[in-house]
Amino acid sequence: MASSFSTNSKLELVTTGEKAGLWGTITNTNLQVLEQLSTGYLSSAQLASGDLALALDNGATSNGKNLYIKLTGTLGANRSVTIPDGAERVIIFEDATSRGSSALYTITVKTVSGSGVVLPIGSTSLVYSDGTNVNLGLKNKGYVTLTASAITAYTAVDGDQILANTTANPITVTLPASPAIGSEVTFVDDRATFANNNLILNRNSQPILGLTANLTVSTNGAAFTLLYVNSTRGWVYKDNI
């Protein structure tokens, strides 16, 4: 019988009595794959030009087997990083991309057929695939700067830390549409101008402080975190303004 390959790592599994004279080569390749899975590092600027498809090649090292992937380059559109369906993987992603003059572009990590998760801008996130979909595990938050002269509307994702500069105009931030209990978004008045040009938080169908109304923040120097608790209370202050 010919070799088969493991489901998640695509290690070559040699059938007893097969591959005479090739065991050393196959074993060394398997060890290289295991090394890549445990310590492998990849820096990729692919998202500057298009989506990044991670490969899990049979019996060989490949980009989808790296433990740590640093994403670089300037985004010109929403981008996706895809993991093959059926593979269970744990990967750490560092978002070192630039959005240029727009923070509106997103990076979604997903299986080919799944919906996946959106990486918070500037974050380092551990994600895991159960073979069907990708979920967000641990994350080290980054910061996204919104300047009203360039961006007057933005849709937040769980884990965003937003520095809002409303010197020129008000800024509207739409909160995540389907937050999980414990989701957080942090806001900071970058220039102490919220009283002149407000920060408006669009509740996006979820309550804020138990009320079915958007929240207008007009306190200069405000810095606070909204925490999602449940569908009744919705988003509440984790920290006071």
Side-chain angles (χ1 to χ4, degrees):
M1 294 177 61
S3 294
S4 60
F5 298 91
S6 64
T7 302
N8 299 323
S9 306
K10 304 302 180 182
L11 296 168
E12 186 168 357
L13 308 177
V14 180
T15 303
T16 302
E18 294 291 324
K19 304 290 185 178
L22 297 176
W23 276 75
T25 299
I26 293 171
T27 299
N28 287 340
T29 299
N30 280 343
L31 291 174
Q32 289 171 344
V33 171
L34 291 173
E35 182 178 51
Q36 191 176 26
L37 290 165
S38 60
T39 64
Y41 169 84
L42 172 69
S43 180
S44 173
Q46 172 61 34
L47 297 184
S49 57
D51 295 337
L52 172 61
L54 298 179
L56 299 174
D57 296 337
N58 286 337
T61 57
S62 51
N63 64 356
K65 297 179 184 179
N66 288 284
L67 174 66
Y68 193 103
I69 299 177
K70 182 176 182 178
L71 304 172
T72 65
T74 298
L75 271 60
N78 293 338
R79 301 298 190 197
S80 293
V81 180
T82 55
I83 299 170
D85 289 336
E88 298 174 1
R89 289 286 290 112
V90 174
I91 305 175
I92 300 169
F93 287 97
E94 178 185 347
D95 176 15
T97 62
S98 170
R99 304 311 200 266
S101 61
S102 175
L104 303 180
Y105 299 134
T106 60
I107 300 173
T108 301
V109 180
K110 59 191 284 294
T111 56
V112 172
S113 302
S115 55
V117 295
V118 178
L119 299 180
I121 293 176
S123 65
T124 299
S125 304
L126 182 149
V127 307
Y128 60 95
S129 169
D130 58 11
T132 301
N133 209 354
V134 170
N135 301 279
L136 183 63
L138 302 174
K139 59 179 176 285
N140 181 26
K141 299 177 182 179
Y143 288 91
V144 52
T145 299
L146 304 182
T147 302
S149 59
I151 303 167
T152 58
Y154 174 74
T155 299
V157 301
D158 177 22
D160 266 347
Q161 297 189 117
I162 297 171
L163 306 179
N165 176 356
T166 62
T167 302
N169 294 290
I171 292 176
T172 298
V173 175
T174 299
L175 294 172
S178 301
I181 294 173
S183 293
E184 294 185 357
V185 183
T186 296
F187 302 89
V188 177
D189 184 355
D190 191 35
R191 299 297 176 89
T193 54
F194 282 1
N196 299 324
N197 291 307
N198 303 150
L199 172 69
I200 300 120
L201 302 183
N202 183 328
R203 68 188 187 87
N204 204 0
S205 79
Q206 298 293 333
I208 301 177
L209 306 177
L211 303 175
T212 55
N214 295 337
L215 177 66
T216 297
V217 183
S218 57
T219 302
N220 280 343
F224 61 97
T225 298
L226 289 183
L227 171 71
Y228 185 79
V229 293
N230 54 49
S231 60
T232 300
R233 288 285 290 155
W235 297 92
V236 301
Y237 290 126
K238 182 177 180 181
D239 308 298
N240 291 325
I241 292 181

